[in-house]
């Protein structure tokens, strides 16, 4: 999170009083009722029973996919999972391998591409590696929908392919034997926001039903309880920052429940144990503690290391692997800091006005970290950003991050249509995308993408305002409320955690941790003084007077065994 002096704060429209009252009767908390009502939650959506999950068979292609997989599985065929190298792909791969094994598959292997050599997806190079392992069926997870050439190569070699993915398809679909993707045109599945790991979990549910109908579990085989995999589904879902609609919240809530009850895979538990707070594990904990460490394997080395951490059943092995993933993450942070300093220097050298899309590149940048740099640029300058690093094949690989209201994958598609040959390949979704192009096209691409974005938005970039739930009476600002809000989620993309805004008296400021700002505040309407923390906001110190307007989230700060109320500041403006 980047705190900005000028980032606007916009209040959500107040929900109807009747909606708040209906929720408050069940919740016993007026503030939480107000927050839920503002997000459109209905009284029948307060709980997350698994029987409210959408039915797997409503995904188009599921019947064909499970029939083929069941035939190979029951016939003793070799299955190969081809995954992506991010946290969604890694958790999806672990769910696939674990799930297929407990369903009775004899041989299940996996293959994950290298970010640095083969790049994203089931490319020709990855297809050749898959062919060498002689599988009877390849099942993709979190990729494949745009892998036309790689899948064609597999089919030419006589290998069947089932694609499970959640990314937007291109104009042409791959020639797979079956495709399961809620974003296929005309697909009737009501939720379009499943992560790759979510699609894989649904595929396993449908496959189990198929095997049950075929009598596979009658011959002394135990029918597996697939809900044991929901901790991994929860991690991949929040780490991939897909919108947490109701269906996704059911998946995440049950994954969190397993972890908080002492269950979950040893690898994930080991990742969370590296800096445990003693508080209940939430979606935020998964996103900021486990997600980056798992992602670091794919960013800095080889994601197969992260997948193996999620696959091991030995706690001691899991602890050692989690420690190595933590080391990768610390290395990633050091590389990121250096790249961020260079990006900041570049931005400071630009003359106003800034272009509609920020496109930065450097021959010294690390291709595994450019996505993070693009995200930092987007946060700091409130506009879409793309960061490029050189690739091993002489091209440049870019990672794009966007704003709400700018569909970055569609903008890339527009550039590719208008400028054939400029982009070698691209893929992604509304908020994030990846692409590859030649060095000579970098400058022209920046202009073309800026044009495409402005055309999409009617010439004006959307305002990246923070959506606040309004003011909070200081009498309600308590440790108990912070605890209740923190655990009430699961909060995440599309279902934002509660955010309030008010004016405060500023009593003290001090810089901590190099570039963070610790504040001591009191509400303008009175009440006790409360501590606050504003990340990466040290440079704002000189701009602040006696009163400030902040957007904040109440949180529980645990330090040396003591629990205190603290405000997490997301916007800080002088009054």
């Amino acid at each position: 999170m980047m705190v900005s002096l000028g980032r606007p704060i916009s209040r959500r429209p107040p929900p109807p009083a009747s909606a708040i009252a209906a929720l408050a009767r069940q919740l016993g908390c007026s503030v939480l009722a107000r927050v839920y009502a503002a997000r459109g939650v209905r009284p029948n959506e307060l709980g997350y029973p698994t029987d409210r999950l959408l039915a797997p068979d409503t995904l188009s292609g599921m019947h064909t996919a499970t029939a083929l997989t069941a035939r190979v599985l029951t016939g003793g065929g070799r299955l190969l999972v081809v995954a992506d190298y991010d946290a969604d792909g890694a958790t999806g791969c672990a769910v696939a391998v674990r799930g297929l094994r407990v369903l009775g598959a004899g041989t299940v292997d996996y293959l994950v591409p290298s970010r640095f050599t083969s790049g994203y997806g089931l490319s020709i190079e990855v297809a050749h590696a898959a062919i060498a392992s002689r599988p009877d069926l390849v099942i993709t997870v979190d990729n494949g929908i745009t892998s036309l050439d790689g899948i064609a190569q597999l089919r030419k070699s006589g290998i069947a392919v089932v694609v499970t993915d959640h990314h937007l398809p291109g104009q042409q679909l791959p020639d797979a034997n079956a495709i399961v993707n809620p974003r296929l045109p005309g697909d009737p599945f009501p939720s379009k926001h499943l992560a790759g790991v979510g699609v894989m979990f649904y595929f396993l549910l449908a496959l189990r039903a198929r095997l049950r109908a075929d009598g596979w579990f009658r011959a002394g085989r135990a029918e597996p309880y697939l809900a044991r995999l929901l901790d991994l589904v929860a991690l991949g879902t929040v780490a991939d920052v897909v919108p947490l609609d109701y269906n996704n919240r059911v998946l995440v809530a049950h994954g969190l429940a397993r972890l908080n009850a002492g269950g979950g895979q040893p690898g994930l538990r080991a990742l969370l144990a590296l800096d445990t707070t003693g508080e209940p594990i939430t979606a935020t904990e998964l996103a900021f503690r486990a997600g980056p460490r798992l992602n670091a394997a794919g960013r800095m080395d080889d994601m197969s290391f992260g997948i193996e951490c999620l696959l091991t059943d030995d706690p001691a092995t899991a602890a050692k692997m989690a420690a190595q993933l933590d080391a990768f993450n610390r290395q990633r942070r050091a590389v990121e800091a250096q790249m961020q300093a260079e990006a900041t220097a570049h931005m400071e050298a630009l003359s106003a006005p800034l272009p509609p899309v920020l496109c930065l590149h450097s021959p010294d940048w690390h291709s595994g970290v450019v996505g993070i740099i693009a995200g930092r640029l987007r946060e700091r300058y409130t506009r879409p950003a793309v960061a490029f690093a050189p690739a091993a094949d002489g091209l440049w690989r870019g990672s794009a991050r966007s704003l709400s209201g700018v569909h970055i994958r569609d903008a890339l598609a527009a550039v590719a249509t208008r400028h054939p040959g400029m982009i070698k390949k691209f893929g992604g979704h509304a908020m994030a995308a990846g692409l590859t192009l030649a060095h000579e096209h970098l400058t022209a691409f920046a202009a073309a993408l800026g044009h495409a974005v402005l055309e999409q938005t009617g010439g004006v970039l959307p305002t990246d305002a923070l959506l606040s739930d309004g003011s909070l009476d200081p009498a309600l600002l308590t440790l108990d409320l912070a605890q209740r809000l923190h655990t009430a989620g699961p909060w995440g993309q599309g279902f934002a955690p509660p955010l309030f805004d008010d004016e405060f008296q500023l009593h003290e400021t001090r810089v901590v941790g190099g570039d963070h700002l610790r504040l001591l505040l009191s509400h303008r309407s009175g009440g006790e003084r409360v501590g606050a923390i504003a990340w990466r906001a040290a440079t704002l110190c000189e701009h602040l007077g006696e009163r400030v307007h902040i957007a904040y989230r109440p949180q529980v700060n645990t330090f040396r065994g003591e629990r205190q109320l603290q405000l997490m500041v997301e916007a800080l403006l002088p009054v």
Side-chain angles (χ1 to χ4, degrees):
M1 181 190 67
M2 186 74 68
V3 180
S4 170
L5 276 173
R7 190 175 183 189
I9 302 169
S10 178
R11 290 189 172 180
R12 297 175 184 271
S18 58
I20 298 175
L23 293 169
R25 282 193 292 270
Q26 295 188 47
L27 292 168
C29 178
S30 61
V31 177
L32 184 56
R34 167 180 146 199
V35 167
Y36 276 162
R39 286 152 183 76
V41 174
R42 298 184 293 270
N44 66 345
E45 294 177 333
L46 288 179
Y48 297 115
T50 53
D51 61 9
R52 293 290 303 278
L53 282 174
L54 298 170
D57 58 8
T58 56
L59 280 158
S60 63
M62 191 67 88
H63 176 83
T64 304
T66 56
L68 171 59
T69 306
R71 186 165 64 249
V72 175
L73 186 152
T74 58
R78 297 174 60 88
L79 302 174
L80 178 67
V81 177
V82 176
D84 187 20
Y85 44 63
D86 66 359
D88 186 18
T91 53
C93 182
V95 166
V97 172
R98 283 184 174 276
L100 290 168
R101 286 175 179 170
V102 298
L103 284 168
T107 303
V108 184
D109 295 315
Y110 72 88
L111 178 63
V112 58
S114 167
R115 182 189 295 267
F116 311 107
T117 55
S118 52
Y120 169 79
L122 208 169
S123 61
I124 288 285
E125 180 181 355
V126 173
H128 285 309
I131 292 167
S133 66
R134 305 173 66 86
D136 297 292
L137 173 64
V138 166
I139 303 173
T140 73
V141 58
D142 194 32
N143 76 97
I145 197 64
T146 59
S147 302
L148 307 184
D149 295 338
I151 291 174
Q153 185 65 48
L154 289 174
R155 296 295 306 279
K156 183 179 178 181
S157 301
I159 298 172
V161 181
V162 169
V163 169
T164 76
D165 202 351
H166 74 124
H167 292 96
L168 288 166
Q171 293 183 347
Q172 181 180 350
L173 294 177
D175 184 28
N177 297 78
I179 301 175
V180 180
N181 184 336
R183 296 195 178 194
L184 285 178
D187 188 284
F189 192 72
S191 170
K192 304 304 177 185
H193 302 307
L194 284 175
V197 66
V199 176
M200 175 49 65
F201 182 71
Y202 263 80
F203 171 75
L204 292 174
L205 292 177
L207 179 59
R208 183 180 62 181
R210 163 74 63 171
L211 292 169
R212 182 191 304 129
D214 291 346
W216 178 245
F217 301 116
R218 293 177 192 162
R221 296 184 183 89
E223 184 170 324
Y225 184 58
L226 295 176
R228 290 192 178 95
L229 302 172
L230 281 172
D231 60 315
L232 298 180
V233 177
L235 171 57
T237 298
V238 299
D240 210 48
V241 203
V242 294
L244 291 187
D245 60 12
Y246 183 75
N247 198 68
N248 275 341
R249 297 203 303 277
V250 174
L251 294 171
V252 173
H254 282 273
L256 293 172
R258 293 196 63 79
L259 288 167
N260 285 312
Q265 316 310 317
L268 177 49
R269 296 203 64 82
L271 286 171
L272 292 168
L274 288 168
D275 54 1
T276 182
T277 64
E279 297 292 323
I281 299 167
T282 65
T284 302
E285 301 290 318
L286 291 181
F288 291 100
R289 285 169 54 197
R293 289 178 170 119
L294 181 60
N295 261 323
R299 293 188 186 281
M300 310 307 296
D301 193 82
D302 182 351
M303 183 48 96
S304 60
F305 193 90
I307 294 170
E308 285 299 316
C309 180
L310 301 180
L311 286 176
T312 183
D313 289 320
D314 178 53
T317 301
K320 291 178 181 177
M321 299 189 82
Q324 180 58 60
L325 290 172
D326 187 53
F328 285 144
N329 195 44
R330 283 185 269 113
Q331 179 188 0
R332 185 271 303 171
R333 286 179 177 174
V335 171
E336 178 193 341
Q338 185 175 358
M339 290 170 61
Q340 183 62 49
E342 187 174 343
T344 299
H346 178 91
M347 292 303 301
E348 290 176 348
L350 290 180
S351 57
L354 293 177
V357 180
L358 306 176
C359 292
L360 274 64
H361 68 278
S362 170
D364 300 320
W365 281 1
H366 192 294
S367 60
V369 187
V370 287
I372 298 174
I373 298 302
R376 300 290 188 212
L377 290 168
R378 179 217 30 216
E379 292 170 359
R380 177 66 180 85
Y381 298 100
T382 62
R383 59 196 60 218
V386 191
F388 288 92
D393 51 11
L395 299 173
W396 287 72
R397 288 202 180 96
S399 191
R401 298 293 183 268
S402 194
L403 307 173
S404 294
V406 176
H407 198 300
I408 197 66
R409 192 265 179 198
D410 283 358
L412 290 173
V415 173
T417 299
R418 291 191 181 123
H419 305 274
M422 176 180 284
I423 303 176
K424 295 290 184 182
K425 59 181 179 179
F426 69 95
H429 42 81
M431 297 298 290
L435 69 151
T436 305
L437 48 73
H439 182 272
E440 60 265 25
H441 294 314
L442 284 169
T443 301
F445 167 79
L449 184 60
H451 176 79
V453 165
L454 288 180
E455 185 177 62
Q456 185 184 117
T457 61
V460 180
L461 286 175
T463 302
D464 189 32
L466 286 166
L467 279 179
S468 165
D469 290 292
S471 179
L472 189 61
D473 189 297
L476 299 174
L477 196 54
T478 64
L479 181 64
D480 287 343
L481 177 67
Q483 178 68 38
R484 182 73 186 270
L485 296 178
H486 183 60
T487 58
W491 310 109
Q493 178 72 22
F495 197 69
L499 179 73
F500 305 97
D501 75 280
D502 283 294
E503 289 185 13
F504 286 81
Q505 186 76 25
L506 179 59
H507 300 285
E508 294 178 15
T509 60
R510 60 188 175 95
V511 176
V512 296
D515 61 348
H516 310 313
L517 195 59
R518 188 167 291 282
L519 313 151
L520 184 62
L521 307 167
S522 60
H523 196 280
R524 60 181 176 81
S525 301
E528 298 181 0
R529 294 185 179 186
V530 60
I533 185 75
W535 295 106
R536 301 185 184 91
T539 57
L540 304 185
C541 224
E542 60 189 64
H543 301 282
L544 304 177
E546 294 182 354
R547 297 179 71 83
V548 291
H549 183 196
I550 67 170
Y552 62 94
R553 305 189 194 280
Q555 67 172 197
V556 179
N557 180 34
T558 303
F559 182 67
R560 293 178 179 174
E562 294 188 8
R563 302 168 77 251
Q564 293 182 325
L565 172 67
Q566 176 178 270
L567 307 185
M568 174 62 70
V569 178
E570 294 215 2
L572 176 60
L573 301 98
V575 175

